[in-house]
Amino acid sequence: NSFALELNGIGSYTQLRKEFYIGALYLTEKSDDPQSILTSGTSKRMALKVTTKRWSPRRWSLQWQNDIAINNTTQGSNELTEHLLNFTGFLEDNLIIGDEITVDYISTVGTIIKINNVKIIETNTAELFNFLVNAWIGKLPPSGDFKDGILGKNSSENSALLSNYK
């Protein structure tokens, strides 16, 4: 990629003591302020590395629908609704350990989502990226620790996660 992103933060997404993925947020400039991350027009990336043996399409869909809904108060555009339905519904098979999903916002292009380097969604705005990143850094994140990790606030835990992530 031609744009230089640095790791902003990393977190472990866990539900009922079961880790589903390690999430990482990359920005052009580090920030621990959710509002400035959302409003910044620069390129950014969300990356998810699956760490659970089996993550069913149904569970993927429900987790994301819930996280997106509780963290985004505004109604998005009709196009966004379409893309969110695609994002939460694109899986045909279980995700397995090592699968990687990336959500890139590139200022000159828009939002591009890939699974294992295969493009599944492309939009020409930041709207989709912002709705998804809000699921991580919004008012009701998966956990306080996860949000702090993504915002780069607990760097000691982050280095341990980072070695698992690579």
Side-chain angles (χ1 to χ4, degrees), residues 73-143:
T73 45
T74 55
Q75 194 58 47
S77 63
N78 289 342
E79 190 182 86
L80 174 75
T81 308
E82 258 324 276
H83 292 310
L84 289 172
L85 286 170
N86 275 347
F87 179 74
T88 57
F90 77 89
L91 286 181
E92 288 166 19
D93 295 312
N94 294 327
L95 288 168
I96 55 168
I97 291 178
D99 280 345
E100 189 170 23
I101 291 118
T102 55
V103 182
D104 278 308
Y105 170 68
I106 302 164
S107 48
T108 51
V109 182
T111 304
I112 297 172
I113 300 178
K114 294 178 179 173
I115 176 166
N116 298 329
N117 272 328
V118 178
K119 187 175 9 176
I120 52 165
I121 297 171
E122 183 170 351
T123 79
N124 54 7
T125 67
E127 193 180 26
L128 179 60
F129 184 94
N130 287 341
F131 261 66
L132 296 177
V133 83
N134 237 359
W136 284 2
I137 62 173
K139 286 190 178 65
L140 296 161
S143 73

Side-chain angles (χ1 to χ4, degrees), residues 7 10 66 153:
L7 179 67
I10 190 166
N66 180 52
K153 289 181 179 173

